[in-house]
Amino acid sequence: MMNKQEILEKLPYSVPFLFVDELLTIDENGATGTYTFNKDLDFYKGHFKDHPVTPGVILTETMAQIGLVCLGIYLSGYIDSAASSHVMLTSTAIDFMKPVFPGEKVTVVSEKVYFRFKKLHCKVEMKNEAGDVVCKGTLSGMVTTKLNG
């Protein structure tokens, strides 16, 4: 089974589109990780003028990278450890409760609802450092495997 560092190394993202700093826990039932939104990220320059706020699509992407993709990579080890797995986001249903500002650290917690026929469906929640829920909902994705070589 892959460890947390191996899972992070398999993520198909790089800066500036990598929204995972640390993977705290992962098992067959879910994942927990953190990310701090650097105040110098380019999208803050125009969203919103003079009052930057993290766009909802970026919050959703952060939840997907930590709570769906990392978990999908972990779970795909049960399918075929010789294959390279990718998780493609297929659907989202997210409610936003509070803004996330530049420099804020968030924690994402996902809980697997089901994983069958290579389809992963999760409940996800993002909290700020004060422990307030900033957004929550469900994410789904398909795990695809590509043989190495």
Side-chain angles (χ1 to χ4, degrees):
M1 196 52 54
M2 282 183 274
N3 66 38
K4 292 183 273 190
Q5 189 57 42
E6 290 171 321
I7 292 167
L8 292 176
E9 290 169 4
K10 288 191 172 283
L11 287 172
Y13 317 106
S14 62
V15 174
F17 206 74
L18 175 64
F19 300 110
V20 184
D21 287 333
E22 187 177 13
L23 192 54
L24 301 172
T25 63
I26 192 157
D27 62 26
E28 62 278 356
N29 296 309
T32 302
T34 64
Y35 182 72
T36 301
F37 289 96
N38 184 313
K39 63 181 173 72
D40 296 323
L41 289 167
D42 201 47
F43 53 77
Y44 286 130
K45 294 175 186 169
H47 191 266
F48 293 96
K49 289 196 285 185
D50 301 322
H51 302 287
V53 175
T54 308
V57 68
I58 299 295
L59 298 177
T60 302
E61 179 65 26
T62 303
M63 289 191 296
Q65 287 186 17
I66 294 170
L68 186 75
V69 178
C70 286
L71 182 58
I73 291 169
Y74 178 85
L75 293 172
S76 70
Y78 289 115
I79 298 172
D80 184 355
S81 61
S84 176
S85 298
H86 302 282
V87 181
M88 309 301 283
L89 183 67
T90 58
S91 67
T92 65
I94 304 296
D95 292 321
F96 301 93
M97 278 68 96
K98 290 183 173 273
V100 175
F101 298 105
E104 280 197 78
K105 180 179 182 178
V106 296
T107 300
V108 174
V109 177
S110 76
E111 176 187 337
K112 177 185 75 177
V113 176
Y114 64 82
F115 179 56
R116 60 180 173 264
F117 306 114
K118 298 185 181 181
K119 175 118 180 173
L120 177 58
H121 185 70
C122 299
K123 291 183 196 175
V124 291
E125 183 175 81
M126 179 184 285
K127 292 184 178 182
N128 61 21
E129 287 185 282
D132 298 325
V133 175
V134 296
C135 52
K136 65 180 181 177
T138 60
L139 299 172
S140 295
M142 292 293 296
V143 177
T144 62
T145 54
K146 177 180 155 190
L147 293 177
N148 292 329

